[in-house]
Amino acid sequence: MSAGANPIVHIEGLHKSFGDNEVLRGVDLEIAEGEVVCLIGPSGSGKSTLLRCVNLLEEPTEGSISAAGHDMTGPDADLDLARRDIGMVFQHFNLFSHMTILDNLVIPQMRVCKLPKDEAVAEARRLLAEVGIEGKERAKPSQLSGGQQQRVAIARALAVKPRLMLFDEPTSALDPEIVGEVLQVMKGLAAEGMTMLVVTHEMSFAREVADRVLFLDGGVIVESGPPAEVLSNPKTERARSFLHRVLHPVD
Amino acid sequence: MDAATATAAPERRMTPRQRRRLSRTIQYVVLAAIVIVLAVVADWGRIVDSFFQIDIAADMFPAVWIPFWNTIVYTVLAFIFGMAVGVPIALMRVSTFGPYRWFATGYVEIFRGLPALLVLFLVGFGVPQAFPGIQYPGGVYGQVAIGLGLTSSAYIAESVRAGIQAVPKGQVEAARSLGMSHTRTMITVVLPQALRIVIPPLTNELVMLTKDSSLVFVLGVTTATMELSKFARNALTSEANATPLLVGGLLYLLLTIPLGLLARRLEKRGEAR
């Protein structure tokens, strides 16, 4: 794998089963600081599970994971502390529905990072402006469009100052014409040097932004390489047929 | 349309709309007949004599305001106790720690299963007998808060548990992924949403408590601590007339109907979110 001396994510021999169903069957992965990695693959291939194992939302059945300088699977792991350094963006946004947009960013900073309120508010306003959400501070999440909610969700994840961002199909729940505004924010984030692991079906985003694309199938990484290589000249038949189905769904 | 229905159609004597209208008319006629029969059969003089004696009703005032006020106080105290105990029990019900869950399940089963009257007796007489010298804070008020609150807390716990489980899993995952601890997530994200969800059943509980406060008489109340039902029944006995029951009933409705309206308002506001 093409990671440097000090990878920010290091996964070794990762297995994950739900009951009798083995979803991940031995995944090894290293991600270097500042790298943008896109995870693609058919549904049920284990992409989301792999992502959710990185911050231990799913507990691995076997294997070791370290991320953002924390030994996540170690016996002394302080997961609450570690997760501050690992931001996560969900398919369905998961903004706190009883809080205003501003509070969605302010409360985590106050409760998790123990910041005083005025500092948290200032930072929240800066982040909201950065993702292009203005004049919605007092609104509730349900009053925003999906694209706006997802941009707020990205800002919320950034509010606790993560070193690594996980994206779990961030545009899959959005109307097609809204996908672009979210990808634009993610692209900006990548340009700022954020390390990102993205589960996505947006092949053009992967092609344009990713440093590396991983093709996952049947719970293992089948192909890995620069986007031009994996997306244009897949070596395996499985990847070839998957990409054909994604890029030419009508055929 | 096949041929059979096409030929059958002209034979039908009424359209569905006509049939609906006829059925409705019949229902109105029957209803009106019942009302007329009752009005004719009933001995109106007697009914007015037993329920609508203005002077007896007037005699109840202003003394009735003390038991009216006590009914409110008993209800509110019991509800506060019920919430203070019920919410932690609900949290224990959904705990991953087995012993908490077992304790909470046992607690709910016991206090939901026992009649409120029996629990009130237990608190009022059983406990003081078993532990001589025990003093309830606030005297009879403390006894009522605990005696009615124990039963109420079991119901509240079940409602709140359902509310907690109705909060989408994604809300918890988002909070945890931001680095919030399990406890912090509960306090900051889950409980506020859960309590909003259970406003309707909690209002129901408050209405039930308002009525259950009529059981307080078993503790042996004085004029100062009497609640509405007891007061109305005393008046019924001394006046040998049912008018006090009507007044008492109306005063209960004066409490419970606004509660229902308030609940509906809160529910609507919840939907608008």
Side-chain angles (χ1 to χ4, degrees), chain A residues 52 55 57 80 83-84 86 88 90 94-99 107-108 111-112 142 156-157 160, chain B residues 169-182 184 188-190 192-193 196 272-273:
Chain A
R52 290 161 61 86
N55 67 355
L57 276 188
D80 295 333
R83 285 182 183 134
R84 277 194 221 179
I86 311 170
M88 187 158 195
F90 300 85
N94 298 354
L95 291 177
F96 301 133
S97 55
H98 63 300
M99 294 183 192
I107 300 294
R111 297 284 176 263
V112 176
S142 59
R156 179 181 65 176
V160 294
Chain B
K169 219 173 105 227
Q171 297 283 313
V172 175
E173 290 184 347
R176 299 307 302 272
S177 78
L178 286 162
M180 289 189 199
S181 67
H182 177 76
R184 174 46 69 195
T188 309
V189 177
V190 178
Q193 294 188 35
R196 231 163 277 210
R273 258 189 311 139

Side-chain angles (χ1 to χ4, degrees), chain B residues 68 126 134 168 176 192 198 226 262-263:
Chain B
F68 180 75
I134 197 167
R176 299 307 302 272
V198 298
M226 196 176 288
L262 181 73

